[in-house]
Amino acid sequence: MYASSMRETLLAFVYKQSFNSDTLNCKRPDFMPLIGYARVSTEDQTPLPQSEALQTAGCVEIFEEHASGGNRARPVLARVLERVQTGDTLVVVRIDRLARSLSHLLEVIERLEAKGAFFRSLQDPIDTASPQGKFTLQVLGAAAEFERALIRERTKAGLASARAKGRVGGNPGLRTKDPAALRKVRLARQDGYMERLNETAQDWVPHVRRLRPDMAWEDVLRIINGPLPPDRHWTQSRLLRAVKAYVRDGFLPDEVLGRAGRRETDDRLPAIVAAIKGADPDITLQAICDRLESMRERTPRGRASWQPSSVKMLLERAERLGLISSESAHSQM
């Protein structure tokens, strides 16, 4: 009750301040593209009411996501933040649809501000296009975080009291290690994991299918991560787990998990360049240079900066080694 009353008081204060005539919070461009983001926590919930509210507010694009608000690594939110451009406004129905902690909320706002974009919440008096909106955002975010902290403390106190009285919560089947209950939980976790993998499959499955087991995992990993932003980079252990899951379910052949053959040192760079060219036959020499630099690959002479002439030489060597066809080696050269 205290947390709810405090939040209502803060809301009333901020809402009143938002109409302060001394605050120039109404000067903004006449047209600012609105991009909506709707989130629900579980698959049995629907984001439709949020999407309808965002559509009514004038959002030209609406992104929907099923994910916990406490999880910062949300793929749809990451795509939205990449999509936002200068002058755009990210719109949500409530601030807790975007973030469940003040630190994450401010982190997202900083990323938007770095791009010259703004944030708006429909049910809270928040619009970062104005100084008053930024102030409101921090006050409400702090109040919401304080309220959740109080709820967590009350929940812990309630559980401790129940345990003291001999009551134990949770799934009875899991407590007794019932095989059927354990199997149901395991399958649910596997299904959730596979759904998350399917969202990123286009980033790594084609490379794994084409390059394994001819190329070592370290090199395959660098090729996969090359075009991806840092927040979507794979680690080798995470990639191996994903590949094993796809092999288990028949989405990839068993051969991709085979041991990579030994490759001469001089053949390694031609193999990497051939793999990049094979993934995109129309890629230019300069684009391959950029990809190699992003992968932190050194030139044959040990330099960090690549030149098109070096890439062309490696493509010709890859052709002689039979790693790439003549047509592919000479396209866009």
Side-chain angles (χ1 to χ4, degrees):
M1 292 294 292
Y2 171 73
S4 178
S5 176
M6 178 183 178
R7 189 170 188 272
E8 290 175 0
T9 302
L10 284 169
L11 280 169
F13 168 74
V14 172
Y15 188 71
K16 179 180 179 182
Q17 289 295 314
S18 67
F19 288 95
N20 190 332
S21 59
D22 296 332
T23 303
L24 301 178
N25 61 351
C26 296
K27 292 184 178 180
R28 54 184 302 154
D30 293 333
F31 175 74
M32 301 174 67
L34 305 181
I35 298 176
Y37 174 72
R39 180 190 64 79
V40 291
S41 299
T42 60
E43 292 293 337
D44 57 351
Q45 295 175 317
T46 174
L48 182 59
Q50 296 179 51
S51 297
E52 291 176 345
L54 293 169
Q55 187 175 10
T56 302
C59 293
V60 295
E61 290 184 79
I62 298 175
F63 295 83
E64 298 179 350
E65 183 160 38
H66 289 78
S68 169
N71 179 15
R72 297 194 179 193
R74 288 178 249 155
V76 175
L77 178 59
R79 288 200 299 272
V80 172
L81 295 177
E82 291 176 12
R83 158 70 180 80
V84 169
Q85 301 176 358
T86 301
D88 291 349
T89 298
L90 177 61
V91 184
V92 297
V93 174
R94 298 189 309 275
I95 57 174
D96 64 350
R97 298 302 85 197
L98 179 68
R100 297 295 297 275
S101 69
L102 179 59
S103 61
H104 187 207
L105 185 63
L106 296 181
E107 177 186 323
V108 173
I109 300 303
E110 287 176 0
R111 290 187 60 180
L112 292 173
E113 289 181 342
K115 288 191 168 187
F118 306 98
F119 170 71
R120 184 191 302 173
S121 174
L122 299 181
Q123 295 185 11
D124 304 298
I126 298 176
D127 190 338
T128 61
S130 70
Q132 185 66 38
K134 295 180 182 178
F135 168 73
T136 303
L137 175 72
Q138 296 193 25
V139 172
L140 291 181
E145 188 170 12
F146 175 66
E147 184 175 355
R148 286 192 296 273
L150 289 180
I151 292 173
R152 284 196 297 269
E153 290 301 321
R154 288 197 294 267
T155 301
K156 290 179 181 178
L159 291 174
S161 176
R163 283 194 295 269
K165 296 178 181 178
R167 297 197 300 270
V168 181
N171 188 319
L174 295 181
R175 290 203 307 272
T176 59
K177 296 184 179 181
D178 177 65
L182 293 174
R183 181 175 180 274
K184 185 176 180 179
V185 171
R186 185 174 62 254
L187 291 175
R189 289 176 177 173
Q190 289 178 356
D191 289 343
Y193 177 62
M194 292 302 292
E195 288 180 4
R196 294 193 298 273
L197 281 185
N198 293 339
E199 294 176 353
T200 62
Q202 70 278 2
D203 294 339
W204 56 277
V205 170
H207 295 293
V208 171
R209 190 186 301 275
R210 189 179 68 257
L211 302 178
R212 287 291 305 165
D214 296 328
M215 185 174 288
W217 284 112
E218 294 84 354
D219 294 329
V220 174
L221 184 67
R222 279 201 286 272
I223 291 172
I224 291 173
N225 286 337
L228 299 178
D231 59 346
R232 289 172 56 192
H233 277 190
W234 292 75
T235 63
Q236 185 167 326
S237 59
R238 180 168 161 245
L239 178 62
L240 281 171
R241 183 189 174 198
V243 171
K244 289 177 180 177
Y246 263 45
V247 169
R248 182 192 64 228
D249 287 0
F251 297 126
L252 283 172
D254 295 341
E255 290 75 17
V256 299
L257 292 174
R259 186 171 181 176
R262 295 181 61 87
R263 186 179 293 277
E264 296 296 332
T265 304
D266 290 344
D267 293 351
R268 180 177 170 278
L269 281 176
I272 293 176
V273 172
I276 296 173
K277 185 72 172 177
D280 183 3
D282 296 327
I283 193 170
T284 63
L285 295 178
Q286 184 58 55
I288 296 178
C289 291
D290 297 339
R291 183 75 60 81
L292 291 169
E293 290 175 6
S294 70
M295 293 165 58
R296 300 185 184 277
E297 285 290 345
R298 294 280 179 172
T299 68
R301 296 188 178 184
R303 297 173 181 171
S305 178
W306 282 81
Q307 299 296 324
S309 58
S310 299
V311 173
K312 181 178 180 181
M313 177 191 69
L314 290 174
L315 284 173
E316 291 172 350
R317 188 187 302 175
E319 180 188 356
R320 291 195 297 271
L321 292 171
L323 301 174
I324 193 171
S325 66
S326 176
E327 294 78 6
S328 298
H330 294 283
S331 64
Q332 297 292 321
M333 286 177 58

